[in-house]
Amino acid sequence: MCSLQRCLEVLLIVGIATFGAAASDKKLEKRATACKGCSYTGRTYYYTYPEGTTVERIIYQDRVDAVYHGCNDSPCGVNAVCQEASGGRPVCSCPPGFSGNPLTLCNRGECLDNVECRGDLQCKNARCVNPCVGACGANANCEPKNHVAVCSCPSGFKGDPLVACHRIDPEEQCHPSPCGTNTKCEIVNSVPTCSCLHGYIGNPLTGCRHECDHDGDCTARDMCSNFKCVPACQQCGTGATCNSVANHRAICECPKGYIGSPYTECRPECYGDSDCPSNRPACFYGICKNTCEGACGIGADCRLRGLTPVCSCPRDMTGDPFVRCRPFTKEDLCEPNPCGTNAICIPGHDNTGRERPVCNCLPGYTGNALTHCLRGECSSNNECPGHKACINYQCVNPCIGKCASGATCEPKAHLAVCKCPPGYSGDALISCRQARTQPVAKYTSCTTCK
């Protein structure tokens, strides 16, 4: 066909839709060898058909001047279409859906549009191909959907899937920090976690602030220290006690028996007995004490024997010196009972008038009340025969010592019956005397007698 030695403009369909500069100059020069008498001028331009198909046009030219006769003497190949350009110059092209060399043969392509391919394929250069080939960046995933390559970064990666995906560093989630001001961002279980900095409070997602800037921001028993509300009693020293808080300041004291400054340190008064004074010689848990304190009962005297307390009641008092001492009473003379067995004690006096206990045998008993009393023979006359009487708990003759000298006694019904013997007169209980006969004076009434 090139033997016509005329300038031919050859149209090659090299793609559907917009064709980029993918066809290199070498490929175009190779196609120009189809016309042995032509040369490639380097001119390439694109033409879009009314139905939307875009083709690339390549200009070939004879080496000698040519005379054009239009499409009547068609130089085009099989299935090619010839169109006359200006000046009657024939232009060959493959129709839509065909590809190849329009000067020799145009072949029917695999597809003309994406609809002619499966959903996971794309129509490119009249062929159904995988749209993912070369579509996504490095390390990216590609999934063909509706003839289009859908690029995404895999789990654990991030970046532009059309350019490149790189592995996610968990710490990157905190740079820049998603947290508010005065916060710190930490990765916990691969999740960025916000928290307020030490000494700050608030919502870490929006911002944290100082807990306090002065004492007035704290409660009455707290104070503001290093921008944080802390108990005011922390002002007290080691070992000190905090009694109260006034105007956010603690009132500190050392415990009883402790010495030192309550705002620095309170220490024990002693570490051993040798550290204590004589009036408080014993060291108990760091405090010097008099061991007599609280050792004895109420009203008792306490004297130290070394460190040992000795308790006793005063001379004018009695009682249990470990419980209570009280003044003496008469009843105390008989407590404890100083008398013998079966004897009772009764408060009394001695010959000098001093109070002393008096011991007596119990009723019905006899003996020495200071040592032992025995049960008597009787306790009433009814326990003795009629001629005896119960005297000092013994059945004895009731006449003993009852009648006067010279009188006679006869015991009857437990009693002594005293009588003066015949020829005697008088009171038998006092005295009986011998009776004497005396002349008896006779008196008559006399009115004249004086």
Side-chain angles (χ1 to χ4, degrees):
M1 295 182 185
C2 292
S3 60
L4 297 176
Q5 295 183 352
R6 58 187 177 186
C7 181
L8 298 177
E9 184 181 46
V10 180
L11 175 64
L12 296 177
I13 298 179
V14 294
I16 301 175
T18 302
F19 183 83
S24 65
D25 291 344
K26 290 183 179 180
K27 291 182 180 179
L28 295 176
E29 289 177 355
K30 186 176 180 181
R31 291 174 184 171
T33 58
C35 180
K36 298 186 182 297
C38 302
S39 64
Y40 172 54
T41 66
R43 285 189 60 196
T44 302
Y45 65 96
Y46 299 93
Y47 175 79
T48 301
Y49 288 93
E51 68 274 14
T53 302
T54 299
V55 297
E56 179 183 299
R57 287 185 172 180
I58 304 172
I59 303 299
Y60 290 88
Q61 188 175 7
D62 280 341
R63 292 187 179 90
V64 298
D65 292 337
V67 178
Y68 302 105
H69 299 285
C71 287
N72 293 330
D73 187 9
S74 176
C76 301
V78 179
N79 296 327
V81 176
C82 181
Q83 292 180 319
E84 292 184 4
S86 60
R89 183 178 61 201
V91 177
C92 298
S93 65
C94 289
F98 289 76
S99 63
N101 188 345
L103 297 179
T104 58
L105 175 66
C106 290
N107 296 316
R108 176 72 167 88
E110 185 179 1
C111 64
L112 181 63
D113 191 81
N114 286 337
V115 295
E116 299 183 31
C117 302
R118 293 199 317 264
D120 59 340
L121 299 176
Q122 182 184 66
C123 187
K124 187 175 183 180
N125 295 334
R127 294 187 61 191
C128 290
V129 297
N130 187 348
C132 284
V133 176
C136 300
N139 299 322
N141 290 335
C142 183
E143 184 178 1
K145 288 185 178 181
N146 296 327
H147 315 290
V148 178
V150 178
C151 303
S152 62
C153 288
S155 177
F157 287 74
K158 73 173 187 176
D160 186 351
L162 297 178
V163 179
C165 295
H166 61 275
R167 188 175 296 278
I168 295 175
D169 180 2
E171 295 298 329
E172 290 183 3
Q173 300 179 75
C174 284
H175 303 286
S177 175
C179 309
T181 57
N182 300 320
T183 62
K184 63 179 179 180
C185 179
E186 296 177 306
I187 303 301
V188 179
N189 296 327
S190 301
V191 177
T193 304
C194 301
S195 61
C196 291
L197 293 175
H198 180 71
Y200 289 81
I201 61 172
N203 186 345
L205 296 178
T206 57
C208 298
R209 58 177 177 79
H210 286 138
E211 184 177 357
C212 65
D213 292 306
H214 50 80
D215 291 339
D217 295 335
C218 304
T219 62
R221 293 191 63 84
D222 293 337
M223 59 177 288
C224 187
S225 176
N226 294 327
F227 305 108
K228 189 173 183 180
C229 290
V230 297
C233 285
Q234 290 186 0
Q235 295 173 305
C236 297
T238 304
T241 59
C242 182
N243 290 337
S244 60
V245 176
N247 295 324
H248 306 282
R249 292 294 177 267
I251 299 175
C252 309
E253 291 182 358
C254 285
K256 184 179 180 181
Y258 278 62
I259 60 177
S261 171
Y263 294 95
T264 54
E265 181 182 12
C266 295
R267 60 180 178 82
E269 184 180 9
C270 62
Y271 293 96
D273 295 340
S274 59
D275 298 332
C276 297
S278 59
N279 61 332
R280 293 181 294 131
C283 183
F284 283 92
Y285 301 103
I287 301 175
C288 291
K289 286 188 175 182
N290 185 336
T291 51
C292 276
E293 293 179 5
C296 301
I298 299 173
D301 292 334
C302 182
R303 290 179 178 83
L304 290 176
R305 186 177 296 162
L307 296 178
T308 304
V310 178
C311 303
S312 63
C313 287
R315 294 179 61 116
D316 59 344
M317 302 184 77
T318 187
D320 185 346
F322 295 100
V323 180
R324 178 188 291 271
C325 292
R326 57 179 176 76
F328 276 107
T329 62
K330 291 182 179 181
E331 288 73 16
D332 292 327
L333 296 172
C334 291
E335 292 295 338
N337 189 355
C339 303
T341 307
N342 299 322
I344 59 174
C345 178
I346 301 174
H349 298 83
D350 60 13
N351 293 334
T352 63
R354 293 181 61 185
E355 292 181 343
R356 69 175 184 85
V358 177
C359 298
N360 294 306
C361 289
L362 292 172
Y365 288 77
T366 184
N368 187 346
L370 295 177
T371 57
H372 186 70
C373 294
L374 295 174
R375 181 80 168 82
E377 184 180 4
C378 62
S379 59
S380 66
N381 289 332
N382 294 332
E383 299 180 24
C384 298
H387 65 285
K388 290 185 177 182
C390 186
I391 300 174
N392 293 329
Y393 308 107
Q394 299 292 325
C395 290
V396 297
N397 187 345
C399 288
I400 297 174
K402 295 296 183 182
C403 299
S405 177
T408 62
C409 181
E410 183 181 0
K412 288 184 179 179
H414 313 294
L415 298 175
V417 179
C418 299
K419 294 187 295 183
C420 287
Y424 284 79
S425 63
D427 186 346
L429 295 177
I430 298 175
S431 177
C432 290
R433 62 182 180 278
Q434 190 172 11
R436 293 178 183 181
T437 303
Q438 297 292 339
V440 178
K442 294 182 179 180
Y443 297 95
T444 58
S445 59
C446 180
T447 59
T448 62
C449 293
K450 294 183 180 181

